[in-house]
Amino acid sequence: MTVLSLESYAAGRWVGPSGRTSLLRSAVTGEPVAEIGAAGLDVAAMAEHARSVGGPALRALTFHRRAAMLKALAQYLNARRDTLYELSYDTGATRADSAIDIDGGIGTLFVYASKGRRELPDDVVFLDGGLETLARDGAFVGQHVATSLHGVAVHINAFNFPVWGMLEKLAPTLLAGVPAIVKPASATAWLAEAAFRMIVESGVLPEGAVQFVAGGVGDLLDRLGGQDVVAFTGSAATATTLRANPGLIGNAVRFHAEQDSLNATVLGPDAAPGTPEFDAFVREVHREMTAKAGQKCTAIRRVIVPLPHRDAAIAAIAERLAATVVGDPRQEATGMGALASQAQRASVLEQAGLIGAEARRVFGDPEAFAVAGADARAGAFLPPMLFACDDPDGARAVHEVEAFGPVSTVMAYRDLAHAFALTNRGKGSLVASVFTGDPAVARAAVLACGAHHGRLYFADRDAGKAATGHGAPLPHMVHGGPGRAGGGEELGGIRGVLHYMQRTAVQASPRLMTGITRRWTPGAPALAGATHPFRMRFDELEIGHTLETAKRQVTLADIEHFAAFTGDTFYAHMDEAAAKANPFFPGRVAHGYLVLSFAAGLFVDPAPGPVLANYGLDDLRFLKPVSPGDTLRVRLTAKQKTGRSDAYGEVRWDVAVFNQAGEQVAGYDLLTMNAR
């Protein structure tokens, strides 16, 4: 086997191993796979390169251009997955395990690319929340905005997901406009290095956007400041050491940790043997014990079941485990591969020994198990090991020791309160799952366990195959957890992007606020022109372009015709006495949707033109009743523009409808697609 020489990528060039190097070995054969070492790396120059070259280049791009960059990168990697799959086998991962890692990481890039285009503006400033009126007359307003940090993100990743772990951090970081230095765990670094090399070779990212450390980071953390971020995934012990770094503390460096987690699954009292929920529960426990050989931060460590169903659950789980082939991950029949290294195998055995002091092992003997197609002594193999704890209230290790491998412990509960108390004894977890068909049980779980978990996963017969699984962090949802789990957050859609941005409270006049945010603020000067705004192409239209319409009177005949035509004969429109008895109405009033229809008739330009489609209304409010005899007029203002393609863009219009007294009776945002 050719031994790879892992290189770091620093300040735009590849740097080979130096100083005291280490050999990385195959988890399957024990043979050397790669050499790693970064003793001579100039990490100070790397940090400066990121801040002075990568940061400005990324911040010059809008969210949409960064999103397009992520999509192009995902497509490039997606076309080269087979190379990564082949390298992944020596980490002990099966083909299915590698799909979670490789396809999952690439999929995260695709999701963030899509979200960046759909949920972020074609700008470099993100508006966080709504406008706040700070003066009664509207002459002074406030808006929270988020802008890119002017530092570097240091990503310290775990060994279990060398590709996903890197890409799930890079996606929101790059979308936020912040450069990154990636430091993978050494045990599986050859796979991370191969994926990173593809990122560089793609030519998609600007210079300085990403750098890579194959080996130790030296004193890099001592060189970080208040504009920098450290995102760590790994053990609680290592996280504690990093948190205590004087530089991180003294400079208030943002620190996100995703660490040890004693995740639990609960079988609901209604999910008896023979129900779809029970069967799904057994499948999920088996999957979480065997996928990646249990080396998942979200894997099920504690299995909490009703006392009457304990023996049935143990028997069903053990039956599935017995049918699982442990062996060479290259073989199609293999259901569980090896742990990442001999050191990891030894660690899991030590931790399993602590659990075994409080619980009896009901399946899996590490001294006597079969390995298909490989040498059990040369590789880092273990069987799945299932324990049963008969006294979960008196036990400690089962709630405090995470055996980061194919190890889970079954324990029984008396009632729901007991079940959730046991669940929470993990002292903060990334995820807990509940298998139940009872909505009352699901709600009780949220109330009892929500504060202790970053994610709650519920499975019933209705979700079926659509359910993503207990152990699957999704880019759309928050990944992280309180307490022992580290107290950090990753992913969560745009929430993950905001971790790499600064939220700033901006206070200004409407005119200045419009200039800052590039979104028209009520009270800002209006731009009037002879051309109807619907006759202007996307690129011609200016923010603040306003149309003041003609007037139209609403008659009783209009209201009655609208009622007959639509079938909406609600009493407030048709019965004078009943309407007057209502505290909100002075008598019969116009339908809200009649007001909208008349408003559209006042501002719409009917001829074919740049407006291609009206595709929705946001924030619709009816502010004051419209009575027969009232006269309506509309103020239509171009509020915000967002490019969607080379052919068209989205225009958000502020629509304000007024009566004859100048009182606003309705307001909403109209969304149109306009040709460019």
Side-chain angles (χ1 to χ4, degrees), residues 317-328:
I317 296 167
E319 182 180 2
R320 290 188 71 92
L321 292 175
T324 301
V325 176
V326 178
D328 184 344

Side-chain angles (χ1 to χ4, degrees), residues 1 4 14 59 136 235 264 278 333 468 497 503 538 559 562 655:
M1 178 183 289
L4 304 172
W14 289 98
R59 293 195 299 274
R136 184 172 297 179
S235 71
F278 182 88
T468 52
V497 177
R503 181 185 292 106
F538 178 84
I559 296 171
F562 192 84
V655 182

Side-chain angles (χ1 to χ4, degrees), residues 445-478:
V446 172
L447 296 177
C449 301
H452 297 260
H453 296 83
R455 178 163 59 91
L456 292 175
Y457 172 84
F458 294 92
D460 64 3
R461 66 194 70 190
D462 296 339
K465 293 182 178 179
T468 52
H470 165 104
L474 299 175
H476 317 70
M477 308 298 290
V478 166

Side-chain angles (χ1 to χ4, degrees), residues 22 79 94 103 112 140 179 196 209 271 300 331 363 368 397 462-463 562 633 667:
S22 302
T94 65
D103 292 357
Y112 268 93
F140 194 58
F196 189 90
I300 293 171
Q331 295 190 353
F363 183 88
D462 296 339
F562 192 84
R633 64 178 177 86

Side-chain angles (χ1 to χ4, degrees), residues 64-65 68 117 122 537-539 612 642-650 673-676:
H64 284 199
R65 292 183 64 188
R117 289 282 294 181
D122 192 15
R537 293 186 176 272
F538 178 84
D539 300 290
L612 303 175
T642 304
R644 294 302 182 192
S645 76
D646 292 337
Y648 58 86
E650 174 191 298
M673 287 298 184
N674 289 40
R676 306 200 70 150

